[in-house]
Amino acid sequence: MTIHRTLEKSLNRWKEISGLDFALIAPDGKEYVNTGSRKLPSSQNLEEFLSQTAISKASGNLHYFKIYQQEELSCLLLVWGKGVSSHTIGELAVCQIEELTDACQQRLDKNTYMQNLLLGNYTPIDAYNRAKKLRIAHQCPRAVLLVQTKKSRDEAALSMVKNLFTARTGHYITSTDDDTIIVVKELSPGESLDSLENTAITLVDMINTEIMTQAWVGYGNTADDLNQLPQAYQEAQTALTIGRIFYSGQTTFSYDRLGIGSLIYQLPMPICEKFIKETFQGESLDSLDDETYTIIRTFFENDLNLSETARQLYVHRNTLVYRFEKIQKKYGLDLRTFKDALTFQLAMMVNNYIEYRNSADS
């Protein structure tokens, strides 16, 4: 919730309690919040109040108050009501508004700090000094989780993630681009990579069920202090990128469990293209239809077990044999043998990487 929405909600609540009307305006007279249809004072009256050293005054049934933020005038509060009690209510409202704006500014400052920290914009000493000023614990185990959904700037997903984590202090929800939600999670004693996997699964499941959209989560190793967070952030980025390229059937990715995908990701493009050309003898994987892809993936997931694959796909075993014979005839690889199956699976992963690189370069 933005500071404007927070103040608007608070002023309307105060009106319900006190029966008074409130308005929050800029020093130049621009209206921020108005709980009723009261006419604002003229610019001359505002200028006269601003020129005075007094922080409040009453004129008939209208009460004026100056509100400061970091010793600078930020806005004016107007309260319509008669008597001393109305002025007292206005003074209490000023205190509450100043506390709300200070708290919001502190959250914004912490959010900006965390963004710059993750991007590596601070030296270790600068990171420590700024954290101390913002009262952020320096030595504390934390983890970085990155959340992506199909939709860019997914406000519904962002709101859900904030509701899930901000109930407890120590967590930070931020973003450095339009596509990724960053969760900096403070870890409890004993939390490990396995518990992070459970957190990642929970995030994906909640976004799937509550927002009805696909989500992916990547995370890196834990950081024992703030200066290790940029590395954890880079690892989470790598895990999310590699995971989505090579492991399309998964939705959560750990930096320490990327397997062969991590190796392929570091290969130069000429080597990848040469491997594909040699493996498929000039043929292209693009000619395979979705049904054949599903059969191959299911066959690999079942450790080359034809009977189990046929059972899961509700097809006859001989139908699968026929399909694999067609693939062997086209590519020269018999997927029923371990050697050729391994070669084909690696080739599929390399092909995915080539497509990713080509789309990223275009």
Side-chain angles (χ1 to χ4, degrees):
M1 184 180 293
T2 64
I3 182 60
H4 180 271
R5 290 281 305 279
T6 300
L7 291 174
E8 183 179 30
K9 184 177 179 180
S10 297
L11 263 64
N12 281 310
R13 181 60 177 156
W14 298 338
K15 177 181 178 177
E16 292 176 5
I17 296 173
S18 66
L20 305 178
D21 272 323
F22 299 82
L24 201 61
I25 62 174
D28 62 3
K30 178 183 177 182
E31 182 180 299
Y32 291 145
V33 180
N34 194 334
T35 64
S37 57
R38 299 277 189 166
K39 184 179 179 180
L40 298 180
S42 66
S43 57
Q44 181 179 350
N45 289 338
L46 289 176
E47 289 174 4
E48 180 183 344
F49 173 57
L50 290 171
S51 65
Q52 299 172 358
T53 57
I55 61 173
S56 67
K57 81 166 189 176
S59 177
N61 68 339
L62 178 58
H63 304 265
Y64 298 75
F65 300 90
K66 295 176 182 176
I67 298 178
Y68 292 85
Q69 187 175 6
Q70 297 180 351
E71 300 183 355
E72 291 187 5
L73 180 66
S74 62
C75 58
L76 302 176
L77 175 68
L78 305 176
V79 181
W80 285 267
K82 296 180 180 180
V84 177
S85 61
S86 298
H87 198 83
T88 302
I89 290 173
E91 290 177 335
L92 293 172
V94 168
C95 294
Q96 185 68 26
I97 291 171
E98 288 178 343
E99 289 180 2
L100 286 171
T101 52
D102 285 345
C104 183
Q105 186 60 47
Q106 187 179 47
R107 286 197 299 271
L108 290 174
D109 289 343
K110 287 184 177 182
N111 190 59
T112 301
Y113 168 81
M114 196 58 65
Q115 289 176 352
N116 283 304
L117 177 68
L118 295 175
L119 293 174
N121 294 336
Y122 296 136
T123 64
I125 294 177
D126 196 20
Y128 174 79
N129 290 334
R130 289 174 183 267
K132 186 176 181 180
K133 183 178 179 180
L134 293 170
R135 298 181 181 179
I136 298 175
H138 187 267
Q139 288 191 322
C140 174
R142 296 180 175 91
V144 178
L145 299 97
L146 302 187
V147 183
Q148 284 184 351
T149 63
K150 286 185 176 181
K151 181 181 177 183
S152 180
R153 295 187 64 86
D154 196 332
E155 297 296 334
L158 177 61
S159 177
M160 194 223 72
V161 173
K162 284 183 176 180
N163 290 336
L164 181 63
F165 284 98
T166 54
R168 210 189 111 190
T169 58
H171 302 321
Y172 298 93
I173 315 300
T174 185
S175 180
T176 58
D177 56 47
D178 292 340
D179 299 322
T180 308
I181 301 168
I182 305 171
V183 179
V184 181
K185 183 180 187 294
E186 184 176 306
L187 302 178
S188 303
E191 280 195 84
S192 62
L193 286 179
D194 288 335
S195 63
L196 285 181
E197 173 68 13
N198 293 332
T199 301
I201 292 173
T202 299
L203 278 168
V204 170
D205 289 345
M206 290 187 68
I207 293 174
N208 284 345
T209 56
E210 295 188 17
I211 307 178
M212 305 295 289
T213 188
Q214 180 65 64
W216 300 267
V217 177
Y219 57 95
N221 290 308
T222 58
D224 293 327
D225 58 57
L226 289 174
N227 289 325
Q228 293 178 357
L229 277 178
Q231 179 63 33
Y233 173 62
Q234 292 295 328
E235 291 175 354
Q237 280 188 312
T238 301
L240 191 56
T241 300
I242 292 177
R244 293 196 61 180
I245 294 172
F246 299 110
Y247 307 109
S248 59
Q250 299 180 30
T251 55
T252 61
F253 315 103
S254 168
Y255 178 77
D256 279 352
R257 300 169 187 170
L258 294 174
I260 196 68
S262 180
L263 176 62
I264 297 173
Y265 189 74
Q266 300 177 62
L267 293 175
M269 281 292 285
I271 293 179
C272 294
E273 291 168 347
K274 181 176 181 292
F275 175 72
I276 291 295
K277 186 177 180 180
E278 291 177 351
T279 302
F280 294 135
Q281 302 174 7
E283 293 287 347
S284 172
L285 274 178
D286 295 337
S287 60
L288 289 179
D289 55 61
D290 292 340
E291 185 180 0
T292 303
Y293 261 118
T294 300
I295 289 173
I296 293 172
R297 282 197 297 266
T298 307
F299 184 58
F300 289 162
E301 290 170 0
N302 285 291
D303 299 324
L304 313 186
N305 189 316
L306 270 174
S307 299
E308 182 61 23
T309 303
R311 187 189 68 80
Q312 289 188 14
L313 296 176
Y314 300 101
V315 297
H316 196 278
R317 189 176 186 277
N318 290 341
T319 302
L320 293 184
V321 172
Y322 172 72
R323 287 291 190 112
F324 289 135
E325 286 176 348
K326 286 185 64 177
I327 294 172
Q328 182 180 4
K329 184 178 180 180
K330 184 170 186 176
Y331 297 110
L333 296 171
D334 185 358
L335 303 191
R336 293 166 293 181
T337 65
F338 174 77
K339 179 182 176 181
D340 286 356
L342 178 61
T343 301
F344 196 92
Q345 186 171 33
L346 287 173
M348 289 176 66
M349 296 177 72
V350 172
N351 190 68
N352 288 343
Y353 179 55
I354 292 174
E355 291 179 351
Y356 164 78
R357 287 290 299 271
N358 288 337
S359 64
D361 293 340
S362 61

